[in-house]
């Protein structure tokens, strides 16, 4: 499988530790949370009934952690769950390793975190209004995938050996789900929230010169402009002077990238 090109592929990935360390900051943490949440819940270490989202429980019992934990359980141990976790890794890395939509942080890490928070809020609000289910991890993956396709529409992707451009990927996956008899409403939910973000972050500023979405300054202050690179421990030649911070947006240009299924 061909992954998206970006900083994550520049470093040595000969072993699992090197591969994991080479992942972009948000992708690495989101991927880790999803794997741990799914594994621990399936083994009963974390009770599933303590992590799903319920508006009534959050409101009446103030169990606010449910606003976050529901995104990190991807399902029971089955092939579909493994595919969802892989897609999380793939699309998150493709988007983060290249310059994303700029809402104040140069299209880098701060903007990506803000984008995820926007998606989480949108999914929870629409899920509450339309009673769409207690877990929203797969919808968040579809949300990021949709936005990546809008950001890099001409990237080449393959579905079962058939090459298509990324702009057609969401529709192709939706058609496959319909033909396979799988539920598609949750997929549409992720697409819909993704399109709202795309419209507010990219279309509206070009049409009306109006910036509606602004990444909070505290995120930009924390992660800088461009891609955030964590400081490495001081260890000989690997020591990084001055700590971490953001790279200039120019260092994370949208170079595109393909994805083969």
């Amino acid at each position: 499988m061909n992954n998206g090109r970006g900083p994550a592929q520049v470093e040595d990935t000969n072993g699992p530790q090197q591969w994991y360390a080479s992942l972009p900051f948000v992708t690495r943490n989101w991927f880790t949370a999803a794997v741990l949440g799914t594994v621990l819940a399936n083994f009963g270490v974390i009770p599933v009934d303590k992590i799903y989202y319920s508006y009534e429980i959050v409101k009446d019992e103030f169990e606010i952690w449910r606003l976050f934990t529901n995104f990190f359980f991807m399902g029971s141990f089955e092939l579909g769950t493994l595919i969802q976790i892989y897609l999380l890794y793939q699309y998150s890395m493709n988007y983060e390793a290249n310059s994303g939509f700029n809402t104040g942080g140069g299209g880098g890490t701060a903007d990506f975190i803000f984008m995820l928070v926007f998606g989480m809020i949108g999914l929870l609000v629409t899920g509450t209004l339309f009673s769409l289910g207690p877990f929203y991890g797969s919808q968040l993956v579809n949300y990021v995938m949709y936005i990546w396709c809008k950001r890099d529409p001409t990237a080449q992707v393959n579905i079962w050996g058939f090459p298509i451009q990324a702009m057609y990927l969401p529709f192709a996956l939706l058609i496959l789900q319909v033909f396979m008899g799988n539920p598609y409403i949750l997929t549409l939910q992720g697409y819909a929230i993704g399109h709202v973000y795309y419209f507010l972050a990219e279309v509206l500023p070009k049409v009306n010169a109006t910036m509606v979405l602004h990444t909070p300054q505290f995120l930009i202050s924390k992660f800088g402009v461009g891609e955030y690179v964590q400081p490495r421990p001081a260890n000989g030649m690997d020591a990084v002077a001055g700590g971490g911070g953001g790279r200039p947006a120019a260092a994370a240009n949208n170079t595109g990238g393909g994805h083969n299924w």
Side-chain angles (χ1 to χ4, degrees), residues 177-201:
Q177 287 195 331
V178 172
F179 277 125
M180 295 173 65
N182 296 329
Y184 58 87
I185 297 299
L186 300 183
T187 300
L188 286 175
Q189 182 192 16
Y191 290 179
I193 304 302
H195 192 75
V196 170
Y197 176 87
Y198 165 71
F199 178 81
L200 295 178

Side-chain angles (χ1 to χ4, degrees), residues 29-255:
N29 286 279
W30 184 14
F31 177 78
T32 301
V35 171
L36 287 178
T38 301
V39 170
L40 294 178
N42 274 285
F43 279 112
V45 178
I46 300 176
V48 175
D49 61 1
K50 290 294 184 181
I51 62 175
Y52 71 85
Y53 170 73
S54 167
Y55 173 75
E56 289 75 17
I57 295 178
V58 172
K59 177 174 65 72
D60 297 336
E61 302 181 25
F62 204 62
E63 296 184 359
I64 59 175
W65 63 83
R66 294 177 182 270
L67 297 173
F68 307 96
T69 54
N70 74 89
F71 291 102
F72 305 129
F73 177 72
M74 305 303 292
S76 58
F77 285 142
E78 58 186 18
L79 179 61
T81 299
L82 294 177
I83 292 176
Q84 283 297 318
I85 292 177
Y86 171 75
L87 295 181
L88 180 161
Y89 153 77
Q90 181 70 58
Y91 296 128
S92 177
M93 185 179 67
N94 280 357
Y95 188 84
E96 186 178 7
N98 301 286
S99 180
F101 290 118
N102 182 6
T103 54
T109 302
D111 288 342
F112 188 32
I113 294 174
F114 176 61
M115 186 189 92
L116 287 177
V117 173
F118 180 93
M120 289 177 175
I121 294 173
L123 291 171
L124 291 178
V125 170
T126 54
T128 300
L129 292 176
F130 299 103
S131 302
L132 293 180
F135 294 102
Y136 296 92
S138 63
Q139 293 95 308
L140 189 63
V141 173
N142 287 322
Y143 164 81
V144 171
M145 182 269 291
Y146 184 91
I147 296 173
W148 172 71
C149 291
K150 287 293 187 180
R151 181 58 176 160
D152 197 6
T154 59
Q156 290 296 310
V157 300
N158 288 333
I159 299 182
W160 294 349
F162 294 95
I164 63 173
Q165 290 185 321
M167 67 177 76
Y168 304 116
L169 178 62
F171 308 102
L173 294 180
L174 186 62
I175 292 172
L176 280 177
Q177 287 195 331
V178 172
F179 277 125
M180 295 173 65
N182 296 329
Y184 58 87
I185 297 299
L186 300 183
T187 300
L188 286 175
Q189 182 192 16
Y191 290 179
I193 304 302
H195 192 75
V196 170
Y197 176 87
Y198 165 71
F199 178 81
L200 295 178
E202 180 71 2
V203 178
L204 194 60
K206 289 183 176 180
V207 173
N208 293 334
T210 303
M211 286 291 295
V212 176
L213 297 180
H214 299 275
T215 300
Q217 184 58 45
F218 76 89
L219 286 177
I220 299 176
S221 298
K222 170 63 178 177
F223 297 105
V225 174
E227 183 183 352
Y228 174 75
V229 180
Q230 279 187 300
R232 299 177 182 175
N235 182 18
M237 296 299 294
D238 289 334
V240 177
R247 295 191 316 180
N253 288 332
N254 184 22
T255 57

